[in-house]
Structures are given as C-alpha cells and as structure tokens.
Amino acid sequence: PRRGPGIVHWDVKNPVHLVRYFRYYRFYPDSTFVYKTSPHPPEEVIQVMYMPKTKARGARVGVYSGSYHMEGNKVHVSIIYPGKNPTEIRTRLLLRSTCPGAYNRLNIESLTSSYEERSTTYDPHEGVRVQDEARVQTHRTGLNPYIFVPFEEIRTTPLNLPIDQMDYFVPG
C-alpha cells in the first residue's frame, strides 16, 4: 500500500529468519567421540572439540562426549546429556561417499531420545543397548546429512563464511 506521494510502505506479516547451526562430531579411535551443536563456524569451534584427559579437567560448555561403534558402513552413536533429567540420544548413521572412496557423508538413518534413567541391556545382534520402547521418542526432523571437513581444511572451508556471503550449501 502507498503512504504519501512516491512512498511505498510494506507491511511484513510473516517474517522469515535464516538460522544456521552446525552439529560437530569428532571421532576417536577408542570408540569415543565429542559432540557440539553451535551457530559458530568450524574455525571457531574446533578449538574446544577435544576429549578431556580427566573428568576433573572438565567439560567445556556445550561439548559432550559419548561412545560409538561401527558395523560395516553403519555408525551407532550414543550420548547422554547430564542433568536433573538425563537425556540419552542415540543415532544410527550411514557412512557414504559422494565420489568413490571419499566416505565424506553421514546420513542419519534414525534418531531417538529417552528422557529418564533406566536399566538397559546390550543386544549384540543390533549392536546397541535395548531400551523399553515405550520410553523412547523417535525424531523425524533435523535429519539432514552430515559432511566431513578434514582438520587441515578447517580454516579454509566455505562453511566459515558469514551467512551474507554464503549463497547456499547442499550437503548432498
């Protein structure tokens, strides 16, 4: 609608907010990993993505550790967020390549969470601990593929660019 001569005034009814965040995993050969979700680009976050040598040295804010195991091209990860009501997140990932031999993507095949402590058992056929299914929530959103950024490319990856300089990034 116009307001005065030559002036156009737009009423924004449904604003759109662009939000960019990253999920970081760093896997270690001893079947442990560290995990962090952050809006900050890789070159800023890599400094805190290490496994503490002892619990006393403590966790960094928002960095959690967990365990994983591989079966062929499947990666099963488990992490427990501590607190008054601990939450366990289990993810089954598929390791794949965008070109032969690259192994540079992790597709999320399943993502579940459980919000209370309980006894669990290990099922060697499934490769994961068995939970009471009634206490598990399955998630269907936020399941975009993960990409790998080699440590030697952390400072130069296009993912470090600010949003206004990034056109778009398709994880493929």
Side-chain angles (χ1 to χ4, degrees):
R2 291 191 171 269
R3 309 240 175 167
I7 297 174
V8 176
H9 175 76
W10 298 100
D11 290 325
V12 178
K13 297 189 191 267
N14 296 317
V16 175
H17 299 280
L18 178 61
V19 177
R20 174 182 75 166
Y21 75 96
F22 301 94
R23 291 181 185 165
Y24 295 98
Y25 283 92
R26 184 173 180 187
F27 294 96
Y28 291 93
D30 67 351
S31 297
T32 61
F33 70 94
V34 289
Y35 173 83
K36 181 175 180 63
T37 301
S38 173
H40 301 291
E43 68 181 344
E44 293 179 26
V45 174
I46 193 63
Q47 300 166 25
V48 298
M49 294 298 295
Y50 60 89
M51 186 68 71
K53 292 187 179 14
T54 66
K55 297 250 184 208
R57 293 186 122 176
R60 285 96 34 231
V61 174
V63 178
Y64 302 95
S65 60
S67 61
Y68 75 94
H69 73 274
M70 292 187 68
E71 292 178 357
N73 63 345
K74 306 279 186 186
V75 182
H76 300 267
V77 299
S78 174
I79 189 167
I80 296 177
Y81 290 95
K84 183 177 177 184
N85 297 312
T87 301
E88 182 177 17
I89 305 292
R90 293 184 185 176
T91 311
R92 187 177 63 237
L93 306 164
L94 171 69
L95 180 62
R96 67 179 181 87
S97 299
T98 55
C99 61
Y103 300 107
N104 57 355
R105 297 291 187 268
L106 281 172
N107 285 15
I108 303 173
E109 290 192 331
S110 69
L111 178 65
T112 61
S113 61
S114 54
Y115 299 100
E116 55 188 297
E117 293 185 82
R118 70 204 159 283
S119 62
T120 59
T121 58
Y122 186 77
D123 181 345
H125 300 292
E126 291 294 318
V128 295
R129 288 178 288 160
V130 177
Q131 301 176 339
D132 178 356
E133 292 300 320
R135 299 178 182 182
V136 175
Q137 181 178 2
T138 300
H139 302 277
R140 306 240 183 261
T141 60
L143 304 180
N144 293 330
Y146 299 150
I147 65 161
F148 289 92
V149 177
F151 282 116
E152 58 272 8
E153 296 175 17
I154 288 291
R155 304 263 183 238
T156 59
T157 179
L159 296 173
N160 288 319
L161 293 172
I163 290 176
D164 61 343
Q165 293 179 23
M166 232 180 172
D167 188 5
Y168 62 89
F169 186 85
V170 179

